[in-house]
Amino acid sequence: MPVALHVVVVDPLPLYGIGAATVLSAAGHRVDRVADALAWPRTNERALVLLTLSSRYAWDVLGELSGAGGCKVVAVVDEGTHAGVRAVRAGATSVLARTAEPEVLLRTVEATAYGQSVLPTGLLAALTGASADAVRPSAERLSWLRQLSNGTTVADLARQAGYSERAMFRLLKALYTDLGTRTRMQAVMRAQELGWLPGGNGSSAG
């Protein structure tokens, strides 16, 4: 029989959080539902967190948790590959669709706890580059590139967008990778080539 796990469920909707906790508890696992996702893992180095990425704060939480030694995160996202790709690149161990069946939730949490990464097939294809060119960044992320190309600093951009500067660096790195690039200049040029940003000589410097 599998060893009982200790899982924290973090979701802004009580109904989903209670449902997830019920599924995991019925399988014999110990479950906490907490308001402050950052406080719990600090005293539980072997924590496994089921985290719904539905707000900017949740993305900041993911960035903080991914830096905590031994903390594994199952990111719960809406359908589609973009959020899943972002989640993996921001440090999530596994990704679960919010519409997943209870059995899938349980299998994903248990597999993650035992050292596996569980990803939807479409997400795996996107991460390996099979569909990277087809993923257009959101209007918000394109606006980040536009502002950076015009000289806005990452610190200023983070304040405007409502993220910590550390989280913004991680999000920008993920954005550059989504575009198949490594630097700000390359990302801006790539977005211009694809027609997602207006072109301009020298606009991508910095």
Side-chain angles (χ1 to χ4, degrees):
M1 182 176 179
V3 177
L5 306 176
H6 192 180
V7 185
V8 64
V9 176
V10 185
D11 189 283
L13 297 180
L15 185 60
Y16 183 91
I18 292 171
T22 299
V23 170
L24 295 167
S25 296
H29 302 307
R30 176 185 170 188
V31 181
D32 291 333
R33 292 181 57 240
V34 300
D36 184 358
L38 295 179
W40 185 74
R42 290 172 183 168
T43 57
N44 294 268
E45 292 184 358
R46 297 180 181 178
L48 188 148
V49 181
L50 184 69
L51 174 67
T52 297
L53 297 174
S54 59
S55 67
R56 289 176 177 173
Y57 173 72
W59 285 98
D60 279 346
V61 168
L62 173 59
E64 294 295 329
L65 293 180
S66 65
C71 184
K72 298 175 182 177
V73 180
V74 175
V76 181
V77 300
D78 292 326
E79 293 290 351
T81 60
H82 185 68
V85 168
R86 283 183 57 202
V88 171
R89 288 172 176 160
T93 307
S94 296
V95 174
L96 179 72
R98 202 169 188 183
T99 56
E101 295 293 329
E103 296 81 3
V104 177
L105 164 64
L106 180 59
R107 288 199 304 268
T108 299
V109 167
E110 290 181 341
T112 302
Y114 293 115
Q116 299 179 38
S117 291
V118 182
L119 306 174
T121 303
L123 174 56
L124 182 60
L127 285 168
T128 56
S131 59
D133 288 343
V135 179
R136 177 189 175 105
S138 66
E140 180 184 36
R141 280 155 183 74
L142 288 176
S143 75
W144 295 349
L145 288 179
R146 186 178 300 108
Q147 292 178 69
L148 289 171
S149 72
N150 289 329
T152 301
T153 66
V154 174
D156 287 340
L157 188 60
R159 283 192 292 271
Q160 294 171 21
Y163 292 103
S164 67
E165 186 173 352
R166 181 179 174 184
M168 179 57 70
F169 271 111
R170 281 193 294 267
L171 291 171
L172 288 173
K173 182 179 179 181
L175 175 57
Y176 301 160
T177 303
D178 285 346
L179 291 171
T181 61
R182 293 185 178 182
T183 67
R184 177 190 313 182
M185 180 182 294
Q186 292 173 350
V188 170
M189 292 177 65
R190 178 62 173 155
Q192 290 173 347
E193 291 171 0
L194 293 170
W196 295 342
L197 287 178
N201 293 332
S203 64
S204 57

